[in-house]
Amino acid sequence: TIIGNFTDYYSTIRNICDIDNAELQYFFRGHSNCTYKAIPSIYREKNIRFESRMFHEAVSRNPSEFTEDMSTFDKLVKMQHYELPTRLLDITTNPLVALYFACKGSENVDGAVMIFPISNELIKYYDSDSVCVLSNIAKCHGDFNFENDKDHFVTEIQRDKPNFNGDFLEKDAINEVYCVLPKLNNDRIIRQNGAFFIFGMGKTKNEPAELKDKP
């Protein structure tokens, strides 16, 4: 749909979003260039090759920012705030915020607003076990293999959740994408009505998992 003014934008959002559907919630993302893909920054420009190193370097060099009591997900949120590449993708519950970012780029390039109708079972809170599992992929080396490295992976998860039972962890748990409602503990998230997609991995760590709910 081509949008030329705010009135068209507002009416289009109202027509697309079925706010009476209790099974769905709607999230938005604005791109200053309509050709951009909705993938996390860690999967752009081959950053994924250095994910584990970047994660550990950020924590080791800034211990006052990344304290021991922070979960791995919380650390990824802070890295995202400082524009480090992560496996998080910013989204918002506010279509006006998405519109702002769509209009923020060059006047000579069409922007885009993506609307994500997310089923409730794919929406998690910041302290979810599922979110913890995907977050800890960031600590794993580039040739991470679930079958070979499961014990080490579970150990990393248990640093966040000591009672996590790795016996029930199946391989497909790392191939998901979840919408995460974070703690409202920084001004940027509050102002932007922020949330995140956290992406697991595809067949290998070098490729992202796919969204089940397409925009």
Side-chain angles (χ1 to χ4, degrees), residues 122-169:
L122 293 179
I123 301 174
K124 307 291 184 181
Y125 285 100
Y126 58 88
D127 57 352
S128 158
D129 284 0
S130 299
V131 171
C132 182
V133 169
L134 298 190
S135 299
N136 276 279
I137 297 173
K139 299 179 184 176
C140 298
H141 51 76
D143 57 353
F144 170 70
N145 178 280
F146 182 82
E147 286 83 3
N148 297 338
D149 302 319
K150 180 180 176 180
D151 289 345
H152 174 73
F153 185 49
V154 169
T155 299
E156 293 293 346
I157 294 170
Q158 289 172 338
R159 295 181 192 276
D160 287 338
K161 292 182 173 288
N163 296 323
F164 182 84
N165 189 341
D167 294 340
F168 297 103
L169 182 63

mmCIF file of all heavy atoms in Angstrom, residues 122-169:
data_model
loop_
_atom_site.group_PDB
_atom_site.id
_atom_site.type_symbol
_atom_site.label_atom_id
_atom_site.label_comp_id
_atom_site.label_asym_id
_atom_site.label_seq_id
_atom_site.Cartn_x
_atom_site.Cartn_y
_atom_site.Cartn_z
ATOM 1 N N LEU A 122 3.722 -16.517 20.685
ATOM 2 C CA LEU A 122 5.068 -16.095 20.286
ATOM 3 C C LEU A 122 5.491 -14.802 20.970
ATOM 4 O O LEU A 122 6.547 -14.253 20.649
ATOM 5 C CB LEU A 122 5.143 -15.936 18.765
ATOM 6 C CG LEU A 122 5.000 -17.223 17.952
ATOM 7 C CD1 LEU A 122 5.061 -16.928 16.465
ATOM 8 C CD2 LEU A 122 6.059 -18.251 18.328
ATOM 9 N N ILE A 123 4.693 -14.331 21.922
ATOM 10 C CA ILE A 123 5.033 -13.122 22.684
ATOM 11 C C ILE A 123 5.487 -13.538 24.077
ATOM 12 O O ILE A 123 4.762 -14.230 24.796
ATOM 13 C CB ILE A 123 3.836 -12.156 22.764
ATOM 14 C CG1 ILE A 123 3.400 -11.742 21.354
ATOM 15 C CG2 ILE A 123 4.207 -10.923 23.592
ATOM 16 C CD1 ILE A 123 2.142 -10.903 21.328
ATOM 17 N N LYS A 124 6.702 -13.160 24.434
ATOM 18 C CA LYS A 124 7.296 -13.565 25.707
ATOM 19 C C LYS A 124 7.686 -12.330 26.511
ATOM 20 O O LYS A 124 7.855 -11.237 25.978
ATOM 21 C CB LYS A 124 8.553 -14.415 25.460
ATOM 22 C CG LYS A 124 8.362 -15.604 24.529
ATOM 23 C CD LYS A 124 7.498 -16.678 25.143
ATOM 24 C CE LYS A 124 7.398 -17.895 24.225
ATOM 25 N NZ LYS A 124 6.531 -18.952 24.799
ATOM 26 N N TYR A 125 7.886 -12.544 27.795
ATOM 27 C CA TYR A 125 8.447 -11.502 28.650
ATOM 28 C C TYR A 125 9.956 -11.701 28.777
ATOM 29 O O TYR A 125 10.500 -12.765 28.438
ATOM 30 C CB TYR A 125 7.779 -11.501 30.016
ATOM 31 C CG TYR A 125 6.395 -10.911 29.997
ATOM 32 C CD1 TYR A 125 5.261 -11.733 29.976
ATOM 33 C CD2 TYR A 125 6.207 -9.533 29.977
ATOM 34 C CE1 TYR A 125 3.983 -11.181 29.949
ATOM 35 C CE2 TYR A 125 4.929 -8.981 29.943
ATOM 36 C CZ TYR A 125 3.829 -9.809 29.933
ATOM 37 O OH TYR A 125 2.573 -9.270 29.894
ATOM 38 N N TYR A 126 10.629 -10.681 29.269
ATOM 39 C CA TYR A 126 12.086 -10.642 29.352
ATOM 40 C C TYR A 126 12.686 -11.798 30.150
ATOM 41 O O TYR A 126 13.836 -12.189 29.929
ATOM 42 C CB TYR A 126 12.530 -9.315 29.978
ATOM 43 C CG TYR A 126 11.956 -9.091 31.358
ATOM 44 C CD1 TYR A 126 12.603 -9.554 32.484
ATOM 45 C CD2 TYR A 126 10.733 -8.439 31.514
ATOM 46 C CE1 TYR A 126 12.051 -9.369 33.750
ATOM 47 C CE2 TYR A 126 10.182 -8.250 32.765
ATOM 48 C CZ TYR A 126 10.839 -8.720 33.884
ATOM 49 O OH TYR A 126 10.288 -8.547 35.122
ATOM 50 N N ASP A 127 11.917 -12.385 31.099
ATOM 51 C CA ASP A 127 12.465 -13.432 31.960
ATOM 52 C C ASP A 127 12.032 -14.834 31.535
ATOM 53 O O ASP A 127 12.191 -15.803 32.277
ATOM 54 C CB ASP A 127 12.068 -13.189 33.417
ATOM 55 C CG ASP A 127 10.559 -13.117 33.615
ATOM 56 O OD1 ASP A 127 9.815 -13.108 32.608
ATOM 57 O OD2 ASP A 127 10.133 -13.064 34.787
ATOM 58 N N SER A 128 11.509 -14.962 30.325
ATOM 59 C CA SER A 128 11.064 -16.256 29.816
ATOM 60 C C SER A 128 12.233 -17.207 29.600
ATOM 61 O O SER A 128 13.319 -16.802 29.148
ATOM 62 C CB SER A 128 10.310 -16.038 28.500
ATOM 63 O OG SER A 128 10.290 -17.195 27.719
ATOM 64 N N ASP A 129 12.029 -18.493 29.889
ATOM 65 C CA ASP A 129 13.049 -19.498 29.591
ATOM 66 C C ASP A 129 13.373 -19.532 28.098
ATOM 67 O O ASP A 129 14.530 -19.687 27.702
ATOM 68 C CB ASP A 129 12.579 -20.888 30.035
ATOM 69 C CG ASP A 129 12.667 -21.100 31.537
ATOM 70 O OD1 ASP A 129 13.099 -20.174 32.255
ATOM 71 O OD2 ASP A 129 12.308 -22.197 32.001
ATOM 72 N N SER A 130 12.350 -19.400 27.266
ATOM 73 C CA SER A 130 12.557 -19.441 25.810
ATOM 74 C C SER A 130 13.453 -18.299 25.348
ATOM 75 O O SER A 130 14.316 -18.476 24.485
ATOM 76 C CB SER A 130 11.211 -19.362 25.086
ATOM 77 O OG SER A 130 10.384 -20.446 25.436
ATOM 78 N N VAL A 131 13.247 -17.113 25.923
ATOM 79 C CA VAL A 131 14.072 -15.949 25.583
ATOM 80 C C VAL A 131 15.499 -16.161 26.075
ATOM 81 O O VAL A 131 16.470 -15.822 25.391
ATOM 82 C CB VAL A 131 13.461 -14.675 26.193
ATOM 83 C CG1 VAL A 131 14.401 -13.482 26.045
ATOM 84 C CG2 VAL A 131 12.119 -14.375 25.545
ATOM 85 N N CYS A 132 15.643 -16.753 27.241
ATOM 86 C CA CYS A 132 16.967 -17.038 27.794
ATOM 87 C C CYS A 132 17.748 -17.974 26.877
ATOM 88 O O CYS A 132 18.941 -17.777 26.635
ATOM 89 C CB CYS A 132 16.813 -17.643 29.189
ATOM 90 S SG CYS A 132 18.372 -18.006 30.017
ATOM 91 N N VAL A 133 17.073 -18.990 26.354
ATOM 92 C CA VAL A 133 17.733 -19.944 25.455
ATOM 93 C C VAL A 133 18.271 -19.230 24.219
ATOM 94 O O VAL A 133 19.446 -19.385 23.844
ATOM 95 C CB VAL A 133 16.753 -21.070 25.054
ATOM 96 C CG1 VAL A 133 17.336 -21.904 23.903
ATOM 97 C CG2 VAL A 133 16.458 -21.970 26.252
ATOM 98 N N LEU A 134 17.432 -18.429 23.569
ATOM 99 C CA LEU A 134 17.873 -17.738 22.352
ATOM 100 C C LEU A 134 18.947 -16.699 22.652
ATOM 101 O O LEU A 134 19.873 -16.519 21.852
ATOM 102 C CB LEU A 134 16.682 -17.071 21.662
ATOM 103 C CG LEU A 134 15.565 -17.989 21.160
ATOM 104 C CD1 LEU A 134 14.588 -17.197 20.293
ATOM 105 C CD2 LEU A 134 16.112 -19.174 20.391
ATOM 106 N N SER A 135 18.852 -16.029 23.782
ATOM 107 C CA SER A 135 19.844 -15.015 24.140
ATOM 108 C C SER A 135 21.230 -15.618 24.265
ATOM 109 O O SER A 135 22.232 -15.022 23.850
ATOM 110 C CB SER A 135 19.461 -14.337 25.458
ATOM 111 O OG SER A 135 18.226 -13.674 25.373
ATOM 112 N N ASN A 136 21.313 -16.811 24.823
ATOM 113 C CA ASN A 136 22.614 -17.417 25.096
ATOM 114 C C ASN A 136 23.302 -17.982 23.863
ATOM 115 O O ASN A 136 24.472 -18.346 23.923
ATOM 116 C CB ASN A 136 22.474 -18.475 26.191
ATOM 117 C CG ASN A 136 22.527 -17.862 27.574
ATOM 118 O OD1 ASN A 136 23.590 -17.574 28.103
ATOM 119 N ND2 ASN A 136 21.357 -17.635 28.161
ATOM 120 N N ILE A 137 22.586 -18.005 22.734
ATOM 121 C CA ILE A 137 23.262 -18.340 21.477
ATOM 122 C C ILE A 137 24.360 -17.315 21.198
ATOM 123 O O ILE A 137 25.379 -17.626 20.593
ATOM 124 C CB ILE A 137 22.257 -18.381 20.308
ATOM 125 C CG1 ILE A 137 21.228 -19.487 20.534
ATOM 126 C CG2 ILE A 137 22.975 -18.596 18.979
ATOM 127 C CD1 ILE A 137 20.101 -19.495 19.506
ATOM 128 N N ALA A 138 24.164 -16.077 21.683
ATOM 129 C CA ALA A 138 25.147 -15.015 21.453
ATOM 130 C C ALA A 138 26.510 -15.347 22.038
ATOM 131 O O ALA A 138 27.534 -14.848 21.568
ATOM 132 C CB ALA A 138 24.643 -13.700 22.048
ATOM 133 N N LYS A 139 26.564 -16.189 23.043
ATOM 134 C CA LYS A 139 27.831 -16.540 23.688
ATOM 135 C C LYS A 139 28.555 -17.682 22.972
ATOM 136 O O LYS A 139 29.711 -17.967 23.285
ATOM 137 C CB LYS A 139 27.583 -16.967 25.136
ATOM 138 C CG LYS A 139 26.963 -15.901 26.024
ATOM 139 C CD LYS A 139 26.752 -16.494 27.419
ATOM 140 C CE LYS A 139 26.048 -15.538 28.352
ATOM 141 N NZ LYS A 139 25.781 -16.171 29.666
ATOM 142 N N CYS A 140 27.872 -18.335 22.041
ATOM 143 C CA CYS A 140 28.418 -19.546 21.421
ATOM 144 C C CYS A 140 29.322 -19.203 20.241
ATOM 145 O O CYS A 140 29.094 -18.234 19.527
ATOM 146 C CB CYS A 140 27.281 -20.448 20.952
ATOM 147 S SG CYS A 140 26.222 -21.021 22.300
ATOM 148 N N HIS A 141 30.309 -20.031 20.020
ATOM 149 C CA HIS A 141 31.252 -19.818 18.920
ATOM 150 C C HIS A 141 30.576 -20.029 17.572
ATOM 151 O O HIS A 141 29.471 -20.581 17.485
ATOM 152 C CB HIS A 141 32.469 -20.734 19.068
ATOM 153 C CG HIS A 141 32.111 -22.186 19.287
ATOM 154 N ND1 HIS A 141 31.678 -23.007 18.272
ATOM 155 C CD2 HIS A 141 32.120 -22.941 20.413
ATOM 156 C CE1 HIS A 141 31.437 -24.221 18.749
ATOM 157 N NE2 HIS A 141 31.690 -24.214 20.047
ATOM 158 N N GLY A 142 31.252 -19.604 16.518
ATOM 159 C CA GLY A 142 30.648 -19.556 15.195
ATOM 160 C C GLY A 142 30.241 -20.894 14.628
ATOM 161 O O GLY A 142 29.288 -20.970 13.841
ATOM 162 N N ASP A 143 30.926 -21.972 14.995
ATOM 163 C CA ASP A 143 30.571 -23.293 14.468
ATOM 164 C C ASP A 143 29.756 -24.099 15.482
ATOM 165 O O ASP A 143 29.803 -25.320 15.520
ATOM 166 C CB ASP A 143 31.816 -24.070 14.046
ATOM 167 C CG ASP A 143 32.831 -24.236 15.181
ATOM 168 O OD1 ASP A 143 32.627 -23.628 16.257
ATOM 169 O OD2 ASP A 143 33.826 -24.960 14.994
ATOM 170 N N PHE A 144 28.995 -23.372 16.301
ATOM 171 C CA PHE A 144 28.149 -24.001 17.310
ATOM 172 C C PHE A 144 27.261 -25.067 16.690
ATOM 173 O O PHE A 144 26.592 -24.852 15.683
ATOM 174 C CB PHE A 144 27.288 -22.935 17.991
ATOM 175 C CG PHE A 144 26.203 -23.477 18.879
ATOM 176 C CD1 PHE A 144 26.525 -24.096 20.079
ATOM 177 C CD2 PHE A 144 24.867 -23.375 18.520
ATOM 178 C CE1 PHE A 144 25.520 -24.596 20.912
ATOM 179 C CE2 PHE A 144 23.872 -23.861 19.345
ATOM 180 C CZ PHE A 144 24.195 -24.476 20.537
ATOM 181 N N ASN A 145 27.264 -26.244 17.306
ATOM 182 C CA ASN A 145 26.431 -27.363 16.876
ATOM 183 C C ASN A 145 25.676 -27.881 18.095
ATOM 184 O O ASN A 145 26.294 -28.235 19.103
ATOM 185 C CB ASN A 145 27.292 -28.460 16.261
ATOM 186 C CG ASN A 145 26.493 -29.677 15.840
ATOM 187 O OD1 ASN A 145 26.146 -30.510 16.660
ATOM 188 N ND2 ASN A 145 26.221 -29.767 14.548
ATOM 189 N N PHE A 146 24.362 -27.916 18.006
ATOM 190 C CA PHE A 146 23.556 -28.240 19.183
ATOM 191 C C PHE A 146 23.904 -29.609 19.762
ATOM 192 O O PHE A 146 24.077 -29.747 20.980
ATOM 193 C CB PHE A 146 22.065 -28.180 18.837
ATOM 194 C CG PHE A 146 21.169 -28.450 20.013
ATOM 195 C CD1 PHE A 146 20.870 -27.438 20.914
ATOM 196 C CD2 PHE A 146 20.619 -29.714 20.222
ATOM 197 C CE1 PHE A 146 20.051 -27.679 22.009
ATOM 198 C CE2 PHE A 146 19.798 -29.961 21.310
ATOM 199 C CZ PHE A 146 19.509 -28.944 22.210
ATOM 200 N N GLU A 147 23.999 -30.619 18.907
ATOM 201 C CA GLU A 147 24.259 -31.972 19.404
ATOM 202 C C GLU A 147 25.617 -32.064 20.089
ATOM 203 O O GLU A 147 25.750 -32.662 21.165
ATOM 204 C CB GLU A 147 24.192 -32.996 18.258
ATOM 205 C CG GLU A 147 22.794 -33.294 17.762
ATOM 206 C CD GLU A 147 22.293 -32.268 16.757
ATOM 207 O OE1 GLU A 147 23.070 -31.342 16.391
ATOM 208 O OE2 GLU A 147 21.124 -32.375 16.346
ATOM 209 N N ASN A 148 26.616 -31.452 19.511
ATOM 210 C CA ASN A 148 27.970 -31.553 20.069
ATOM 211 C C ASN A 148 28.194 -30.630 21.259
ATOM 212 O O ASN A 148 28.987 -30.943 22.158
ATOM 213 C CB ASN A 148 29.010 -31.236 18.991
ATOM 214 C CG ASN A 148 28.981 -32.228 17.853
ATOM 215 O OD1 ASN A 148 28.500 -33.356 18.002
ATOM 216 N ND2 ASN A 148 29.477 -31.819 16.690
ATOM 217 N N ASP A 149 27.512 -29.503 21.270
ATOM 218 C CA ASP A 149 27.812 -28.451 22.250
ATOM 219 C C ASP A 149 26.692 -28.227 23.264
ATOM 220 O O ASP A 149 26.706 -27.235 23.995
ATOM 221 C CB ASP A 149 28.090 -27.124 21.515
ATOM 222 C CG ASP A 149 29.234 -27.237 20.530
ATOM 223 O OD1 ASP A 149 30.228 -27.888 20.868
ATOM 224 O OD2 ASP A 149 29.116 -26.673 19.425
ATOM 225 N N LYS A 150 25.748 -29.140 23.322
ATOM 226 C CA LYS A 150 24.577 -28.922 24.182
ATOM 227 C C LYS A 150 24.967 -28.743 25.645
ATOM 228 O O LYS A 150 24.440 -27.854 26.328
ATOM 229 C CB LYS A 150 23.596 -30.086 24.049
ATOM 230 C CG LYS A 150 22.362 -29.914 24.935
ATOM 231 C CD LYS A 150 21.368 -31.066 24.811
ATOM 232 C CE LYS A 150 20.212 -30.885 25.787
ATOM 233 N NZ LYS A 150 19.221 -31.991 25.707
ATOM 234 N N ASP A 151 25.875 -29.557 26.162
ATOM 235 C CA ASP A 151 26.229 -29.476 27.583
ATOM 236 C C ASP A 151 26.789 -28.099 27.939
ATOM 237 O O ASP A 151 26.412 -27.507 28.964
ATOM 238 C CB ASP A 151 27.250 -30.563 27.945
ATOM 239 C CG ASP A 151 26.636 -31.958 27.938
ATOM 240 O OD1 ASP A 151 25.402 -32.061 27.942
ATOM 241 O OD2 ASP A 151 27.404 -32.942 27.922
ATOM 242 N N HIS A 152 27.670 -27.585 27.092
ATOM 243 C CA HIS A 152 28.236 -26.259 27.343
ATOM 244 C C HIS A 152 27.156 -25.187 27.226
ATOM 245 O O HIS A 152 27.109 -24.236 28.031
ATOM 246 C CB HIS A 152 29.364 -25.975 26.356
ATOM 247 C CG HIS A 152 29.912 -24.589 26.450
ATOM 248 N ND1 HIS A 152 30.701 -24.160 27.493
ATOM 249 C CD2 HIS A 152 29.757 -23.499 25.637
ATOM 250 C CE1 HIS A 152 31.018 -22.896 27.325
ATOM 251 N NE2 HIS A 152 30.462 -22.465 26.208
ATOM 252 N N PHE A 153 26.281 -25.354 26.243
ATOM 253 C CA PHE A 153 25.197 -24.395 26.029
ATOM 254 C C PHE A 153 24.273 -24.338 27.248
ATOM 255 O O PHE A 153 23.909 -23.260 27.720
ATOM 256 C CB PHE A 153 24.421 -24.792 24.771
ATOM 257 C CG PHE A 153 23.336 -23.831 24.361
ATOM 258 C CD1 PHE A 153 23.583 -22.468 24.261
ATOM 259 C CD2 PHE A 153 22.069 -24.296 24.048
ATOM 260 C CE1 PHE A 153 22.588 -21.580 23.868
ATOM 261 C CE2 PHE A 153 21.072 -23.426 23.649
ATOM 262 C CZ PHE A 153 21.330 -22.064 23.565
ATOM 263 N N VAL A 154 23.924 -25.505 27.780
ATOM 264 C CA VAL A 154 23.057 -25.560 28.962
ATOM 265 C C VAL A 154 23.749 -24.896 30.152
ATOM 266 O O VAL A 154 23.109 -24.189 30.943
ATOM 267 C CB VAL A 154 22.670 -27.014 29.280
ATOM 268 C CG1 VAL A 154 22.004 -27.110 30.656
ATOM 269 C CG2 VAL A 154 21.737 -27.569 28.205
ATOM 270 N N THR A 155 25.059 -25.089 30.272
ATOM 271 C CA THR A 155 25.802 -24.448 31.361
ATOM 272 C C THR A 155 25.692 -22.923 31.280
ATOM 273 O O THR A 155 25.522 -22.240 32.301
ATOM 274 C CB THR A 155 27.282 -24.861 31.320
ATOM 275 O OG1 THR A 155 27.372 -26.275 31.496
ATOM 276 C CG2 THR A 155 28.087 -24.170 32.420
ATOM 277 N N GLU A 156 25.775 -22.381 30.061
ATOM 278 C CA GLU A 156 25.633 -20.929 29.885
ATOM 279 C C GLU A 156 24.230 -20.466 30.265
ATOM 280 O O GLU A 156 24.062 -19.428 30.916
ATOM 281 C CB GLU A 156 25.946 -20.540 28.438
ATOM 282 C CG GLU A 156 27.395 -20.727 28.018
ATOM 283 C CD GLU A 156 28.329 -19.776 28.752
ATOM 284 O OE1 GLU A 156 27.857 -18.804 29.385
ATOM 285 O OE2 GLU A 156 29.549 -20.008 28.703
ATOM 286 N N ILE A 157 23.225 -21.229 29.873
ATOM 287 C CA ILE A 157 21.842 -20.878 30.221
ATOM 288 C C ILE A 157 21.662 -20.879 31.737
ATOM 289 O O ILE A 157 21.002 -20.007 32.311
ATOM 290 C CB ILE A 157 20.855 -21.863 29.558
ATOM 291 C CG1 ILE A 157 20.903 -21.709 28.031
ATOM 292 C CG2 ILE A 157 19.431 -21.638 30.065
ATOM 293 C CD1 ILE A 157 20.153 -22.783 27.282
ATOM 294 N N GLN A 158 22.291 -21.850 32.400
ATOM 295 C CA GLN A 158 22.152 -21.971 33.853
ATOM 296 C C GLN A 158 22.851 -20.846 34.612
ATOM 297 O O GLN A 158 22.571 -20.645 35.791
ATOM 298 C CB GLN A 158 22.662 -23.337 34.310
ATOM 299 C CG GLN A 158 21.744 -24.482 33.888
ATOM 300 C CD GLN A 158 22.319 -25.849 34.151
ATOM 301 O OE1 GLN A 158 23.550 -26.014 34.270
ATOM 302 N NE2 GLN A 158 21.455 -26.846 34.239
ATOM 303 N N ARG A 159 23.724 -20.115 33.959
ATOM 304 C CA ARG A 159 24.281 -18.919 34.600
ATOM 305 C C ARG A 159 23.187 -17.876 34.814
ATOM 306 O O ARG A 159 23.220 -17.098 35.769
ATOM 307 C CB ARG A 159 25.401 -18.325 33.744
ATOM 308 C CG ARG A 159 26.625 -19.212 33.587
ATOM 309 C CD ARG A 159 27.686 -18.523 32.743
ATOM 310 N NE ARG A 159 28.737 -19.435 32.341
ATOM 311 C CZ ARG A 159 29.791 -19.752 33.091
ATOM 312 N NH1 ARG A 159 29.922 -19.202 34.290
ATOM 313 N NH2 ARG A 159 30.697 -20.596 32.654
ATOM 314 N N ASP A 160 22.209 -17.858 33.906
ATOM 315 C CA ASP A 160 21.051 -16.973 34.044
ATOM 316 C C ASP A 160 19.973 -17.605 34.916
ATOM 317 O O ASP A 160 19.334 -16.931 35.720
ATOM 318 C CB ASP A 160 20.443 -16.668 32.673
ATOM 319 C CG ASP A 160 21.279 -15.719 31.845
ATOM 320 O OD1 ASP A 160 22.090 -14.977 32.420
ATOM 321 O OD2 ASP A 160 21.100 -15.712 30.608
ATOM 322 N N LYS A 161 19.758 -18.892 34.699
ATOM 323 C CA LYS A 161 18.664 -19.602 35.374
ATOM 324 C C LYS A 161 19.226 -20.892 35.981
ATOM 325 O O LYS A 161 19.223 -21.945 35.324
ATOM 326 C CB LYS A 161 17.546 -19.920 34.370
ATOM 327 C CG LYS A 161 16.802 -18.689 33.867
ATOM 328 C CD LYS A 161 15.676 -19.047 32.920
ATOM 329 C CE LYS A 161 14.843 -17.836 32.560
ATOM 330 N NZ LYS A 161 14.003 -17.365 33.667
ATOM 331 N N PRO A 162 19.698 -20.835 37.221
ATOM 332 C CA PRO A 162 20.355 -21.997 37.846
ATOM 333 C C PRO A 162 19.488 -23.250 37.894
ATOM 334 O O PRO A 162 20.022 -24.370 37.902
ATOM 335 C CB PRO A 162 20.660 -21.494 39.263
ATOM 336 C CG PRO A 162 20.767 -20.008 39.120
ATOM 337 C CD PRO A 162 19.756 -19.634 38.076
ATOM 338 N N ASN A 163 18.175 -23.110 37.907
ATOM 339 C CA ASN A 163 17.287 -24.269 37.994
ATOM 340 C C ASN A 163 16.842 -24.789 36.631
ATOM 341 O O ASN A 163 15.991 -25.682 36.561
ATOM 342 C CB ASN A 163 16.048 -23.921 38.831
ATOM 343 C CG ASN A 163 16.403 -23.598 40.267
ATOM 344 O OD1 ASN A 163 17.299 -24.217 40.846
ATOM 345 N ND2 ASN A 163 15.712 -22.622 40.860
ATOM 346 N N PHE A 164 17.413 -24.240 35.567
ATOM 347 C CA PHE A 164 17.033 -24.684 34.219
ATOM 348 C C PHE A 164 17.430 -26.145 34.023
ATOM 349 O O PHE A 164 18.568 -26.534 34.272
ATOM 350 C CB PHE A 164 17.717 -23.806 33.166
ATOM 351 C CG PHE A 164 17.357 -24.157 31.751
ATOM 352 C CD1 PHE A 164 16.196 -23.648 31.182
ATOM 353 C CD2 PHE A 164 18.164 -24.986 30.994
ATOM 354 C CE1 PHE A 164 15.862 -23.960 29.871
ATOM 355 C CE2 PHE A 164 17.837 -25.301 29.686
ATOM 356 C CZ PHE A 164 16.675 -24.793 29.132
ATOM 357 N N ASN A 165 16.480 -26.961 33.560
ATOM 358 C CA ASN A 165 16.726 -28.391 33.340
ATOM 359 C C ASN A 165 17.024 -28.630 31.868
ATOM 360 O O ASN A 165 16.121 -28.636 31.036
ATOM 361 C CB ASN A 165 15.513 -29.205 33.786
ATOM 362 C CG ASN A 165 15.780 -30.697 33.783
ATOM 363 O OD1 ASN A 165 16.719 -31.168 33.136
ATOM 364 N ND2 ASN A 165 14.973 -31.451 34.516
ATOM 365 N N GLY A 166 18.283 -28.842 31.571
ATOM 366 C CA GLY A 166 18.696 -29.022 30.188
ATOM 367 C C GLY A 166 18.254 -30.320 29.567
ATOM 368 O O GLY A 166 18.309 -30.482 28.343
ATOM 369 N N ASP A 167 17.787 -31.280 30.390
ATOM 370 C CA ASP A 167 17.352 -32.574 29.847
ATOM 371 C C ASP A 167 16.166 -32.406 28.908
ATOM 372 O O ASP A 167 15.942 -33.241 28.020
ATOM 373 C CB ASP A 167 16.973 -33.527 30.981
ATOM 374 C CG ASP A 167 18.154 -33.921 31.846
ATOM 375 O OD1 ASP A 167 19.308 -33.784 31.363
ATOM 376 O OD2 ASP A 167 17.941 -34.356 32.993
ATOM 377 N N PHE A 168 15.383 -31.349 29.107
ATOM 378 C CA PHE A 168 14.181 -31.147 28.295
ATOM 379 C C PHE A 168 14.416 -30.198 27.121
ATOM 380 O O PHE A 168 13.482 -29.883 26.386
ATOM 381 C CB PHE A 168 13.050 -30.595 29.174
ATOM 382 C CG PHE A 168 12.636 -31.532 30.267
ATOM 383 C CD1 PHE A 168 13.035 -31.320 31.571
ATOM 384 C CD2 PHE A 168 11.859 -32.650 29.987
ATOM 385 C CE1 PHE A 168 12.660 -32.187 32.587
ATOM 386 C CE2 PHE A 168 11.481 -33.529 30.993
ATOM 387 C CZ PHE A 168 11.881 -33.297 32.298
ATOM 388 N N LEU A 169 15.643 -29.746 26.949
ATOM 389 C CA LEU A 169 15.945 -28.805 25.865
ATOM 390 C C LEU A 169 16.098 -29.558 24.552
ATOM 391 O O LEU A 169 16.983 -30.410 24.410
ATOM 392 C CB LEU A 169 17.224 -28.031 26.180
ATOM 393 C CG LEU A 169 17.636 -26.966 25.161
ATOM 394 C CD1 LEU A 169 16.584 -25.866 25.062
ATOM 395 C CD2 LEU A 169 19.000 -26.365 25.522
#
